[in-house]
Amino acid sequence: MAVTVVGSIAFDSVRTPFGERERMLGGSAVHFSLAASFFSEVRVVGPVGEDFGDEQLAVLERRGVETGDIERVPGGETFFWRGHYEYDLNTAHTDETRLGVFADFAPKLSPGSRGAETLFLANIQPQLQQQVRAQCRDARLVALDSMNLWIETARDPLLAAIAEVDCVILNDAEIRELTAEPNLARAARTLMGLGPRMVVAKRGEYGAALFTADGFFALPGLPLEDVRDPTGAGDSFAGGFLGYLDSQGGEPDEAALRRAMGYGTVLASFNVEQFGTERVAALTREEVDERLRSLHRMTQFEAIPQPAR
Ligand code: AMP
């Protein structure tokens, strides 16, 4: 089993009420890869500039991520994002985005990356997501993320990309904006009408909800007392969710989907405890499973007593 991901590979400068960092390793594909690496083989696709060092590559390689499809562009500049958060850590405010080497990137995947069973089109220009989707015809589970920038500047290519995937993973506000539908249940239904059979609505610290044709399952976020930087939480969620599903193979049943939601929640919770990739890069599988057990103990959905008829 293997997961291929295309998305931003970035330097992030981030300010939160708890500190700030300049040019940390980041990007949607990086946060996703680190999280998914606890469950399955991960192959990351995308360009970086000359400013991207072996030190950054090593963070991925130490977690066993296959980096052969990361292309270093001579004279190029790595994708750069600057953002900040107010006390409401659920909303990221973008101060600057520089596409750098992504502006003229034409993805050409190696046979190994094309052959992955699971594909994640992480947040990046929808046109690039479409090009990668077209090269991975055999993937049995394809998911996509995006953000307000692309909803507002590349809406049609984004809708075309969504029509080609099985699962959409977006923030609840992005789902509402994309569908122009204020009611989340209806908005999820609208997205499924375009093609996908699953929609995951991420709700920041409040958790995440999964909509399927005839099902609904929501998990709260873990009640953390130390949150420093939410950047990458969404991608870490997607990495835990899809990495676990990939590791199970075949068509996921309801139990696998619920456990995948649990692993997504757990990886996102570790991600926000430190800046950038610091926490997830140093994590162990034992810590991941221990936290999934805590989440299970805290939520105990199966234990809600049935009301008398
Ligand atoms: P999230 O998981 O939603 O917090 O995503 C955080 C990551 O998204 C950061 O590491 C940024 O580098 C990356 N990012 C920010 N803006 C964009 C964009 N327009 N396209 C692709 N990636 C982005």
Side-chain angles (χ1 to χ4, degrees):
M1 300 297 147
V3 186
T4 291
V5 55
V6 64
S8 52
I9 302 168
F11 284 118
D12 288 345
S13 291
V14 175
R15 174 165 52 83
T16 81
F18 314 104
E20 57 188 298
R21 298 281 194 284
E22 285 295 322
R23 291 181 67 81
M24 301 177 287
L25 173 64
S28 54
V30 168
H31 286 291
F32 175 89
S33 297
L34 292 175
S37 71
F38 289 93
F39 307 95
S40 205
E41 183 186 322
V42 182
R43 297 163 168 274
V44 57
V45 176
V48 295
E50 259 181 15
D51 50 352
F52 199 84
D54 291 342
E55 188 194 328
Q56 281 82 32
L57 217 50
V59 174
L60 292 165
E61 285 169 352
R62 276 197 293 271
R63 286 278 341 131
V65 175
E66 171 54 56
T67 58
D69 276 356
I70 292 186
E71 187 188 324
R72 205 180 297 224
V73 180
E77 190 202 352
T78 300
F79 182 101
F80 174 76
W81 180 73
R82 180 184 295 281
H84 71 274
Y85 302 80
E86 310 288 353
Y87 278 102
D88 172 7
L89 294 173
N90 295 318
T91 309
H93 302 280
T94 295
D95 300 314
E96 190 178 351
T97 302
R98 291 204 303 265
L99 284 184
V101 288
F102 272 100
D104 330 287
F105 178 55
K108 198 167 173 311
L109 274 58
S110 62
S113 297
R114 281 172 190 249
E117 289 80 7
T118 302
L119 173 64
F120 185 50
L121 307 171
N123 179 23
I124 197 63
Q125 295 105 303
Q127 295 89 339
L128 286 178
Q129 295 179 314
Q130 285 177 281
Q131 288 174 32
V132 171
R133 173 71 187 98
Q135 293 179 45
C136 297
R137 280 291 139 209
D138 298 335
R140 58 174 175 75
L141 177 60
V142 184
L144 171 148
D145 185 14
S146 193
M147 72 181 291
N148 57 353
L149 176 68
W150 309 118
I151 295 170
E152 287 152 23
T153 63
R155 187 187 160 78
D156 289 344
L158 177 58
L159 292 174
I162 287 175
E164 301 260 315
V165 304
D166 305 294
C167 176
V168 173
I169 304 178
L170 286 173
N171 292 338
D172 53 357
E174 293 162 350
I175 294 176
R176 293 189 174 97
E177 184 179 3
L178 178 62
T179 56
E181 168 56 66
N183 176 287
L184 190 61
R186 282 176 195 264
R189 195 73 50 215
T190 303
L191 282 183
M192 284 190 267
L194 300 175
R197 52 197 162 88
M198 288 184 255
V199 173
V200 177
K202 293 175 286 180
R203 299 151 145 180
E205 66 184 308
Y206 305 111
L210 170 72
F211 295 86
T212 56
D214 47 15
F216 175 76
F217 178 67
L219 274 180
L222 278 143
L224 302 172
E225 298 197 1
D226 277 313
V227 176
R228 290 199 175 74
D229 172 20
T231 309
D235 305 302
S236 303
F237 178 93
F241 181 76
L242 290 174
Y244 175 73
L245 288 180
D246 184 71
S247 73
Q248 297 303 292
E251 184 60 26
D253 59 14
E254 192 60 30
L257 287 173
R258 288 180 178 214
R259 187 170 287 169
M261 289 285 288
Y263 276 123
T265 302
V266 164
L267 266 299
S269 77
F270 280 116
N271 176 273
V272 303
E273 289 180 345
Q274 300 287 343
F275 276 81
T277 58
E278 284 166 21
R279 184 68 178 100
V280 178
L283 202 57
T284 64
R285 177 66 195 250
E286 289 67 37
E287 288 175 297
V288 169
D289 283 332
E290 180 50 37
R291 196 168 277 189
L292 188 72
R293 282 190 282 274
S294 311
L295 179 64
H296 181 81
R297 273 196 303 277
M298 280 184 220
T299 54
Q300 287 285 326
F301 272 96
E302 291 95 329
I304 296 174
Q306 294 273 0
R309 283 180 193 277

